[in-house]
Amino acid sequence: MIPVITIDGPTASGKGTVAARVAEALGFYYLDSGALYRLTAYASLKAELDLADEDAIEAVAKALAPEFKGGRIVLDGEDVTDKIRMEAVGVAASKVAALPRVRSQLVQLQKRSRQAPGLVADGRDMGSVIFPDAPLKVFLTASAEARAQRRFNQLKEKGITANITTLTQDLQERDRRDMERAVCPLAPAAGAKILDSSNLTVEETVAQVLTWYKECLAA
Ligand code: C5P
């Protein structure tokens, strides 16, 4: 059985950074499942589709064939690595992610990432739906203020100006949509360990996950 560590949590909780570093430390593969929803949203926006049209968006998700090469993401020949990180794409991603048939279309793509020697998967439903048999499930949270501040700093580093109040509101709106949707709402999986990173550095957060994983292996 190929081990999986799932790291789920709300937007901008630091899941991506933490998951990638845990994967690196263990020599495991890394799955950024949010990128699949972002790619679906990006392709749908580009095709000027109505984001509530489940038939149309399901077709986009079904045809999705992203290439992950050397940290870049290429979709239909276009390098979309930075474009899918835009706030507008994130908001659109949370809308298409609420469509049940879109979620089902992306299941196989996610399960296929489970490869030896192991996988660290980050998202919203990695522990609850996609990899329910994962030996370690983490639910990573942080206060909305801490998350908005982190997102603000990330954008600033990229030279993008943002407003902290708008960012906080966007985060809260996206959290609400992710938690209140009928299918796979954002919630800790059964047996998940809750990690509040509001007052932790990335290194401390990574160290905690690795400690839990060692405990899991020893158990
Ligand atoms: O994690 P990230 O912010 O990149 O995800 C973008 C959106 O995709 C989230 O707001 C959420 O609605 C959706 N998502 C999801 N299930 C996942 C990963 C992401 O519903 N496993």
Side-chain angles (χ1 to χ4, degrees), residues 107-197:
V107 168
Q108 285 316 316
L109 213 51
Q110 297 172 74
K111 289 198 170 164
R112 275 207 297 275
S113 324
R114 187 174 197 166
Q115 288 178 29
L119 176 72
V120 183
D122 94 60
R124 305 291 188 287
D125 60 347
M126 296 297 98
S128 53
V129 177
I130 307 293
F131 304 111
D133 62 339
L136 174 61
K137 299 175 188 180
V138 177
F139 191 80
L140 188 62
T141 63
S143 66
E145 292 70 25
R147 290 184 286 131
Q149 188 61 52
R150 285 179 197 163
R151 184 55 56 91
F152 180 82
N153 295 345
Q154 275 174 354
L155 292 171
K156 203 168 148 196
E157 269 171 34
K158 290 187 198 156
I160 303 168
T161 41
N163 176 299
I164 195 104
T165 315
T166 316
L167 279 178
T168 312
Q169 282 165 358
D170 281 356
L171 285 181
Q172 285 167 335
E173 187 195 324
R174 192 140 28 126
D175 285 353
R176 205 163 28 245
R177 199 162 30 232
D178 287 349
M179 288 188 287
E180 288 175 0
R181 71 179 172 217
V183 275
C184 315
L186 172 68
K193 292 186 182 291
I194 314 282
L195 183 51
D196 185 336
S197 72

Side-chain angles (χ1 to χ4, degrees), residues 43 46-47 84 102 121 142 174 177 188 191:
K46 206 172 160 193
I84 62 162
V102 170
R174 192 140 28 126
R177 199 162 30 232

Side-chain angles (χ1 to χ4, degrees), residues 25-117:
L26 296 170
F28 282 11
Y29 287 95
Y30 164 52
L31 167 68
D32 168 10
S33 64
L36 302 178
Y37 291 94
R38 287 174 180 269
L39 286 163
T40 306
Y42 178 79
S44 305
L45 288 172
K46 206 172 160 193
E48 296 182 8
L49 299 177
D50 171 0
L51 296 182
D53 181 345
E54 190 163 9
D55 288 337
I57 316 291
E58 181 189 15
V60 171
K62 191 173 182 183
L64 204 68
E67 297 164 71
F68 297 89
K69 318 184 227 190
R72 310 299 298 176
I73 307 178
V74 176
L75 188 66
D76 303 327
E78 182 188 2
D79 186 326
V80 295
T81 319
D82 299 321
K83 291 178 189 152
I84 62 162
R85 297 295 151 201
M86 287 163 59
E87 283 304 301
V89 178
V91 172
S94 78
K95 291 184 183 162
V96 303
L99 305 171
R101 282 187 276 127
V102 170
R103 302 197 73 82
S104 336
Q105 285 301 336
L106 297 176
V107 168
Q108 285 316 316
L109 213 51
Q110 297 172 74
K111 289 198 170 164
R112 275 207 297 275
S113 324
R114 187 174 197 166
Q115 288 178 29

